[in-house]
Amino acid sequence: CSLMKLGVAGIFGTQSDVTSMHVQSICDALDIPHVEARWDFQLQRQRLPINLFPRPAMLGKAYVDLVRIWGWTEFCLVYEESEGVIRLQDFFKEAQKYGWRLHLYQFKSGEAYRDLFWKIKVAGDNRIVLDVKRENIYTVLKHAQQVGMMTENHSYLITSLDVHTVDLEDFKYGKSNITAFRIVDMGSPELQSLFDEWSQFSVFGRKTQTHQRTIKTQTALIYDAVKLFAKALADFDTSKTVVFPPIFCESGEPSEDAIGTSIRNLMKLIKIQGLTGEVKFDQQGYRSEFHLDLLFLSQDGFKKIGGWHSSYGINITLNATSEYNSLLLQNKSLIVTTVINPPYTMLKDSAQLLSGNDRYEGYCVDLIFELSRQLGFKYRFKLVEDNAYGIKNDKGEWNGMIGELIRG
């Protein structure tokens, strides 16, 4: 209200759910544009603000699409705040459809993260969808590491769009599969230009060099929000003179020159290219169409291995996939299940007593040898006990090689 007495064009923010509702209520009553850049779980409102954060339902679809590409059928959802359940709700819907087995865990306030990871470890879960605040990501992963939950056999999908801004140096060499999405377009010429401008700034009259060329999602979204608002204001100003008179909350009435509704409607129609890619809205004012980069933590830091688009789904690039797979398999020891079936897998005829992998020959044996040589893994052949490829019985259980794969 103090700001409005000075005359304002619009209100940006806040990040708090409760505060935002108050601000939205005042802006609705006084017809002032309200622009947000935060995750908002509310599916319906009487008067929607313009929100540049991706629509939660579409963001949830990106997580689910990735898990389906990976072929996960059993994994755990680990969250910190109660809103995490809402962010992860799409997994429950898909679980019913595809028969996924989900295990739900929540960090308890006042307890160390490692206490919960001990329980997860005992339960044998090694595929984790992790929903925690950006500022807690490092500590959470550190506690997981302390209890042996950051090995080459563990996979993490982190839901935060800000993982790329967190220093995960301590986890780059553990070979854990850490994957996340990013909405900030790091290839944007506009962003690179901003980094160049920010690289030297004055602190107490001295020039200071900054080295980290990264930006938080909220900062990029606010930048795009201001850019979008300015474009709408400029377009509106061509047809009508815009003024921002003092507004008094006590009146409860918008001024005669209020343009909030007009600006809001105009913003819904405008498309801009921002730091977070193309910015445009559906009829409800939601950002439902957007692109995300798919990131994988390698020894050189986060690398882009593909992307997700609301219209096309997941796309993993070929070169990145090869590097991604080789990183996952380097120095791993694998068990290769097989059956005796010429010419694929055969027992060698030899006058000497053979042991281990030397006992076998055939096309499959040669293929595994070449793959291990190129990707750097070790392996041991194991004949399946019932010598079957695998069929499902009346109880829905598989035998043979398929059964061994399903049982891990």
Side-chain angles (χ1 to χ4, degrees):
C1 289
S2 299
L3 285 171
M4 291 175 185
K5 289 178 182 178
L6 302 176
V8 296
I11 299 291
F12 291 79
T14 65
Q15 292 301 304
S16 163
D17 290 339
V18 176
T19 310
S20 177
M21 292 177 186
H22 287 295
V23 172
Q24 182 62 36
S25 178
I26 294 170
C27 288
D28 284 348
L30 303 177
D31 198 20
I32 296 173
H34 181 208
V35 187
E36 295 188 304
R38 67 184 184 90
W39 181 83
D40 184 7
F41 68 90
Q42 296 188 77
L43 298 180
Q44 296 293 336
R45 281 188 186 175
Q46 291 182 346
R47 294 283 296 276
L48 282 167
I50 295 292
N51 193 342
L52 270 71
F53 197 89
R55 187 167 190 170
M58 298 306 296
L59 204 53
K61 187 176 185 302
Y63 304 139
V64 169
D65 285 351
L66 183 57
V67 165
R68 287 179 61 189
I69 287 287
W70 284 339
W72 286 9
T73 56
E74 183 173 2
F75 52 96
C76 58
L77 307 174
V78 183
Y79 66 100
E80 185 174 29
E81 298 178 306
S82 299
E83 295 84 35
V85 175
I86 303 173
R87 270 190 290 271
L88 302 172
Q89 63 181 332
D90 289 305
F91 285 106
F92 299 107
K93 297 175 185 176
E94 296 298 312
Q96 292 180 332
K97 188 187 302 183
Y98 297 104
W100 292 347
R101 295 183 61 188
L102 304 181
H103 307 154
L104 193 64
Y105 299 92
Q106 182 178 15
F107 293 116
K108 293 183 179 179
S109 178
E111 290 187 9
Y113 297 122
R114 69 178 71 86
D115 295 343
L116 182 61
F117 278 120
W118 268 117
K119 295 179 182 178
I120 297 173
K121 184 177 182 179
V122 171
D125 289 318
N126 59 3
R127 293 172 171 176
I128 297 169
V129 178
L130 186 63
D131 185 276
V132 296
K133 294 178 181 178
R134 173 198 174 275
E135 55 265 31
N136 295 336
I137 290 173
Y138 175 84
T139 305
V140 169
L141 293 180
K142 196 66 179 177
H143 281 212
Q145 187 181 59
Q146 290 170 354
V147 299
M149 288 285 291
M150 289 293 290
T151 72
E152 60 185 8
N153 296 318
H154 292 89
S155 297
Y156 290 84
L157 168 56
I158 303 178
T159 61
S160 170
L161 296 179
D162 271 326
V163 181
H164 66 282
T165 67
V166 181
D167 183 3
L168 298 183
E169 178 74 22
D170 291 351
F171 313 109
K172 292 195 303 188
Y173 305 99
K175 299 201 181 295
S176 298
N177 173 13
I178 300 177
T179 314
F181 286 111
R182 176 183 65 200
I183 193 171
V184 175
D185 180 10
M186 295 301 292
S188 163
E190 187 172 9
L191 179 59
Q192 296 306 316
S193 176
L194 281 172
F195 282 149
D196 291 339
E197 289 181 29
W198 295 342
S199 63
Q200 290 190 354
F201 58 92
S202 178
V203 178
F204 302 117
R206 293 178 299 174
K207 291 287 185 179
T208 304
Q209 185 75 26
T210 60
H211 300 284
Q212 193 174 18
R213 294 175 73 89
T214 187
I215 185 174
K216 291 181 183 177
T217 301
Q218 180 188 341
T219 307
L221 289 172
I222 288 292
Y223 180 96
D224 288 351
V226 174
K227 183 177 180 179
L228 180 71
F229 183 82
K231 177 74 166 62
L233 209 56
D235 290 353
F236 187 80
D237 195 32
T238 59
S239 59
K240 182 180 178 180
T241 302
V242 180
V243 294
F244 307 110
I247 300 173
F248 299 92
C249 289
E250 294 81 5
S251 69
E253 297 289 338
S255 72
E256 295 180 358
D257 300 311
I259 59 171
T261 301
S262 300
I263 293 296
R264 186 163 48 240
N265 291 336
L266 197 54
M267 289 177 71
K268 289 181 182 179
L269 301 175
I270 293 174
K271 298 178 185 178
I272 64 165
Q273 196 67 30
L275 304 187
T276 58
E278 186 179 49
V279 179
K280 61 180 180 179
F281 302 93
D282 59 22
Q283 292 182 342
Q284 291 183 300
Y286 284 112
R287 190 174 177 183
S288 298
E289 190 170 331
F290 54 90
H291 174 83
L292 300 171
D293 289 337
L294 179 60
L295 306 178
F296 169 72
L297 184 64
S298 70
Q299 293 184 1
D300 299 320
F302 274 110
K303 288 195 172 183
K304 179 181 175 181
I305 62 168
W308 179 91
H309 193 278
S310 49
S311 299
Y312 317 117
I314 292 283
N315 175 40
I316 298 180
T317 58
L318 182 63
N319 291 338
T321 304
S322 301
E323 180 183 8
Y324 175 73
N325 287 336
S326 65
L327 284 170
L328 288 178
L329 292 174
Q330 276 180 12
N331 300 320
K332 270 194 173 183
S333 295
L334 306 180
I335 298 174
V336 181
T337 179
T338 188
V339 297
I340 298 298
N341 185 12
Y344 304 105
T345 304
M346 303 175 288
L347 290 170
K348 280 183 183 177
D349 290 328
S350 175
Q352 298 178 340
L353 183 63
L354 302 176
S355 62
N357 296 336
D358 292 336
R359 293 174 293 169
Y360 308 106
E361 63 180 352
Y363 172 77
C364 287
V365 178
D366 294 343
L367 178 62
I368 291 296
F369 172 77
E370 282 299 320
L371 287 172
S372 70
R373 189 175 63 81
Q374 292 184 32
L375 300 180
F377 63 84
K378 301 175 183 178
Y379 64 95
R380 174 174 64 86
F381 277 109
K382 175 184 176 297
L383 294 178
V384 66
E385 293 181 1
D386 56 12
N387 201 42
Y389 282 105
I391 57 174
K392 188 187 291 187
N393 62 22
D394 296 337
K395 297 180 180 178
E397 299 169 339
W398 288 84
N399 69 348
M401 289 194 294
I402 300 298
E404 291 202 342
L405 288 171
I406 290 174
R407 292 189 293 272

